[in-house]
Amino acid sequence: MQEQHIASAFDRDLESVQAQIMKMGGMVEDAIRLAAQSLETRDEELAEQVRGGDKAIDALEELINERAARIIALRAPTAVDLRLILSVIKISASLERIGDYAKNMAKRNSVLAQLPAVADSTGAIRRMCKTVESMLKDALDCYVQRDAELAMDVIARDEDVDQMYNALFREFLTFMMEDPRNITSCMHLHFIAKNVERMGDLVTSIAEQVVYLVTGTHPDEDRPKADNTSTKLKG
Amino acid sequence: MQEQHIASAFDRDLESVQAQIMKMGGMVEDAIRLAAQSLETRDEELAEQVRGGDKAIDALEELINERAARIIALRAPTAVDLRLILSVIKISASLERIGDYAKNMAKRNSVLAQLPAVADSTGAIRRMCKTVESMLKDALDCYVQRDAELAMDVIARDEDVDQMYNALFREFLTFMMEDPRNITSCMHLHFIAKNVERMGDLVTSIAEQVVYLVTGTHPDEDRPKADNTSTKLKG
């Protein structure tokens, strides 16, 4: 009876700190979307909003870490429960880094606004961001629902982000060779695209955490990606 | 007096779990080196050794997590001490992922051994690995010594890894266009190069943790990299 009581107290603690993770995830999704939008519309005010919002994201990570630590100190969880509470710390760390990348994207805005526009590149970056944003939404959903299948789907979709990045990289190289006046813009845009690709990696690591929580083993990042790549290129 | 006693007990706990981090780091450094070596010499036995070693790395991460949790449960650290013990969990998670990438590199070995060799690409990948390995060594050194300056240096060196990856990517594209029989080899090699670049990102995140521990603020990944890139390309 006593044990039952302790277990459900832990569950309540966990649920409450997971709710904070979802809140943090929502803030990071907003940051990605607004940063991409500010880039496309050259909206300096929106960019400023993203930069300010990042402080709130950092503060929420601090809070989540402290709460997770308090739960560990209070309940001394072991095995599966420990894994669950540690996942909170790891996932909030990934979210914090994704938020940083969104902030850095927004920071480039004022520089890019003074440079010549490069074809549809900001649109392409926005589409990349949209994919990452939807992956993040699903990664957090499958985290709460402990859905390893959806998590594997998120991991596979990171391949699309990689493909979009590779296509952009090739495009930027072409633009730079065509006209050296494009070089500075393209370097900034390439840097942004690279960071979006890294956001995708971080979302993937959240989805991998979910697979680990549900199945107890780390997913093999090797298989799905490699197979996709080969098929897509040969096809 | 009592507080003094508790503080030094915490320090001893922390030191002991940090020693495990250093051990784990050494194992991951070995995995990177051996995986690159097995790729270059097409040594299947060495590759097998890396694959087997990854299990030990995973097990050590489990152990470090459990010990960190026990320290939190026992000492209920707050503020700086909490940050220190959480860094153990985050850094071991990064090490575990780097180990995974090394394992995946080793896994490709048996496939690549049956395909035509592509110029000096495995040599180039080995050089990339060497850079990442030395960055990792320094990242762990500066972690133990709480050296933020060395950590910033590690973060800046990730730019070199990115440049090497970009150069390889362009090279693979050329090889594939020159001769379609190179496509399969190049796809595998590109996948490997990409994963080495991701190892570099994870080492960077360890160095960022160190900066955060020492200075209390997250380093801005934006500045040094961007400036380097622009200068290098324009020069």
Side-chain angles (χ1 to χ4, degrees), chain B residues 31-32 35 38 53 73 80 85 91 94 103-104 108-109 123-124 142 164 169 179 186 207 229 235:
Chain B
I32 299 173
S38 78
V80 177
I85 197 74
I91 290 175
S94 296
K103 180 189 68 183
N104 286 342
R108 302 254 151 184
N109 213 9
C142 70
M164 287 189 241
F169 181 77
D179 186 347
C186 281
T229 323

Side-chain angles (χ1 to χ4, degrees), chain B residues 19 51 55 60 66 101 107-108 115 136 142-143 148 154 159 166 172 184 214 230:
Chain B
R51 293 193 288 261
K55 288 198 183 66
L60 193 49
E66 277 161 24
Y101 286 133
K107 272 188 183 173
R108 302 254 151 184
L115 294 166
L136 176 56
C142 70
Y143 172 56
V154 171
E159 175 61 26
N166 288 346
F172 291 143
T184 311
V214 178
S230 325

Side-chain angles (χ1 to χ4, degrees), chain A residues 16-34:
Chain A
S16 128
V17 74
Q18 275 182 352
Q20 298 287 338
I21 288 272
M22 296 310 281
K23 185 180 166 190
M24 190 177 172
M27 288 160 74
V28 173
E29 281 169 39
D30 287 348
I32 299 172
R33 195 182 55 256
L34 295 180

